[in-house]
Amino acid sequence: MSEPTPWRDPGLQQERTVLAWRRTGLALVIGSLTVGRLTMDTLGAAGLVPAVITAVLAAWVVGATLRGGRSAIAHPDEPTFDRVLRDGRVPAVVAVAAGTVAVVELAAAGMRIATL
């Protein structure tokens, strides 16, 4: 007799997903602070404020992934399979943070091009 095949891989998908979001949050913290520093001479405080706000949002992403179990809920089809992302807050915050960093960098590039 062979053992019944589980309908999903019992691997560590949840843990890998949490680690991936945590790495993304850490990268956004570093990236936003770097963009803030690099655009400070071009945009001044106007570039620094969004960078700091983005760093705070990214730090929230890291904190949300560190809390892990609080944001997990049981899957309705399999109660032992927890969903890491109960709602779309973490991906939405990552999208807003990445978009803000991009807008700040584009504004700085536009200012540099305008001064040439």
Side-chain angles (χ1 to χ4, degrees):
M1 296 282 300
S2 64
E3 295 182 20
T5 305
W7 66 276
R8 71 171 186 84
D9 181 14
L12 300 173
Q13 295 89 355
Q14 295 292 313
E15 291 79 6
R16 288 193 299 260
T17 302
V18 168
L19 288 174
W21 283 109
R22 191 174 304 155
R23 283 191 304 265
T24 302
L26 288 171
L28 274 174
V29 168
I30 300 301
S32 63
L33 293 177
T34 301
V35 166
R37 172 63 184 98
L38 293 176
T39 60
M40 190 182 309
D41 58 341
T42 306
L43 298 177
L48 190 60
V49 170
V52 170
I53 291 171
T54 303
V56 170
L57 289 174
W60 178 84
V61 169
V62 174
T65 59
L66 286 173
R67 289 190 306 266
R70 293 184 189 166
S71 62
I73 59 171
H75 192 277
D77 297 333
E78 186 179 354
T80 60
F81 186 73
D82 293 337
R83 287 187 223 165
V84 174
L85 305 172
R86 177 174 46 194
D87 49 23
R89 285 187 291 177
V90 170
V93 169
V94 167
V96 168
T100 302
V101 168
V103 167
V104 168
E105 184 58 31
L106 285 174
M111 292 286 288
R112 280 187 220 121
I113 290 172
T115 58
L116 293 178

